[in-house]
Amino acid sequence: MAYSNKVLEHYEHPRNVGSLPKDDDNVGTGLVGAPECGDVMKLQVKVNPETGVIDDAKFKTFGCGSAIASSSLATEWLKGKTVDEALQIKNTDIVNELSLPPVKIHCSVLAEDAIKAAIADYRKKKDQGVVEGAAATAQPAL
Amino acid sequence: MKLPIYMDYHATTPVDPRVLEAMLPFFTEHFGNAASRNHAFGWAAEQAVEQARRQVADLIGASPKEVIFTSGATESNNLAIRGAAEMYREKGNHVITCVTEHKAVIDTCKRLEKQGGRVTYLPVQKDGRISLDDLRAAITDKTILISIMTANNEIGVLQPIEEIGAIAKEKGILFHTDAVQAVGKVPFDVNRCKADLVSITAHKMYGPKGSGALFVRRRNPRVLLAEQISGGGHERGMRSGTLNVPGIVGLGKAAAICQDEMAAETVRLRGLRDRLNEKLHANLDELYVNGSLEHRLPHSLNVSFAYVEGESLLMGISDVAVSSGSACTSASLEPSYVLKALGAGDDLAHSSIRFGLGRWTTEEEVDYVVDKLTTVVRRLREMSPLYEMVKEGVDLSKMQWVTH
């Protein structure tokens, strides 16, 4: 399978790999996917509480090159956006930017889910209730 | 050292230059039809085919008359299973095989089921081998055929074929084995394993693609097969079609070379394979060898690199040709059914790499692959949320994942 140059570029030089302190009130964490499906994404945003702007975003991804590239791109796009703007990012934007083939569209869907889950987590912390249609995040079972 | 490095010898092998040299005259100079009985062109072709038949027979301890040439192992497997099922229909309609067989066997069996046959797919144990008790328990008075591979193409695990053959013999059931990955690599003898039908292909043993054989036992018992390709009655009527003389010559020569060099080559490859395995384990934690290491082809290794997805791993070692059981490397989005059958969990199937060493693999190449993989696995684990969670003490099996 041939990868697009943009996927290769993100794979070779992923942006914003790492973790933010997940207990920080201004940090929202999304963890989506499952190991048995072959992809898990953790995406975190750090929001400036004054302005509602995402100051920082980090990711870690277990998955194929397209999944890594999708989450890397997502963190790049998130920085500098307000939380509301961030929720406008659609998986199709990622598909177009990275020229993902049809079998890799699920990677972009997962990235969109990760963004939504991270923001939902942030809003929950801020007591703003759950965002409409937001994806849930993985939890340790009780 | 030349890049890219080929370490996917289970998929196919290059043609040995000695094999190619033996084949070349049969494209041009000796182009005759082996079935032309009345002129020198035909005689030359026939003589070459008969020599190849002896070479193949010698490699597997058979008599030359028991070797039927085919287009490869997929055809051999089809002919063996469908041919036997059709021929022995009166005797029974039950076939026993195993869940980790090659698709050429599994799909042939599925087709039998559609046509009214009954098939038992034996599970495998964690080491990749079937249980002989399961086999015995599956046998009924309608069982006509047991088809169990000698060595698995994904994990290299050797099945207990001598014991399987003995059980089949005792019960008067035919025993077919797809021996494609094993013949030419490890000693194989049709009488020791009491096989009645054995599938072989040239391109897994440094011969050309499109050339294979089926061993069909002629004595104790005399096995008959319903032909699957009808025509001029070639190959004792079991496989019509003008013989692929250059391909057959190549198969024969490849078999002869394997026989001559097997003993030394086995030692050399086992040494390289063990070096690969040991160095990887020395450099990295949380590696799992898939399937038995003891009952395994000497040139074969299948490893899961936990918390790293297989396709991303392959991207990082793009100058090394290996394959992965990850779903992302196939269009089906399902991870390897062979690895799933071992019961190790889908996540480890997604993280697996198959290494196949071969005649031109060098120590330098093995060391290069180890270094490269070590770097890439470490980099990808730094990027892996699973690795991070495990290091933080999270039990991944107790997580509730959000799937899409």
Side-chain angles (χ1 to χ4, degrees), chain B residues 51-82:
Chain B
Q51 187 192 333
R53 209 183 292 281
R54 270 195 306 279
Q55 289 168 318
V56 172
D58 283 350
L59 180 63
I60 59 171
S63 134
K65 285 182 180 162
E66 296 174 310
V67 175
I68 302 292
F69 290 118
T70 67
S71 64
T74 292
E75 187 192 334
S76 296
N77 287 335
N78 271 266
L79 174 57
I81 296 168
R82 291 158 71 169

Side-chain angles (χ1 to χ4, degrees), chain B residues 26 29-32 34 36 39-49 245:
Chain B
F26 294 91
E29 204 182 332
H30 307 302
F31 60 88
S36 296
H39 54 64
F41 296 90
W43 300 332
E46 191 193 11
Q47 198 183 3
V49 166
V245 178

Side-chain angles (χ1 to χ4, degrees), chain A residues 1 3 8 11 14 19 33-38 40 42 60-65 68 104 110 137-139 141, chain B residues 307-309 311-312 315-316 328 346-347 350-351 379 382-383 385-386 388-389 392 398-404:
Chain A
M1 190 183 335
Y3 302 98
L8 283 172
Y11 173 82
S19 297
E36 58 269 26
C37 300
V40 175
K42 186 185 81 165
K60 284 201 174 193
T61 289
F62 162 83
C64 64
I68 290 170
K104 297 296 186 185
L110 203 61
T137 195
Q139 298 286 345
Chain B
Y307 319 122
V308 175
E309 192 276 331
E311 188 195 314
S312 65
M315 273 179 90
C328 275
D346 284 9
D347 47 340
H350 282 293
S351 302
R379 183 172 92 84
E382 276 309 302
M383 212 189 285
L386 304 178
E388 181 184 62
M389 289 164 81
E392 285 170 355
K398 297 220 163 72
M399 287 291 293
Q400 281 179 343
W401 299 102
V402 182
T403 54
H404 57 293

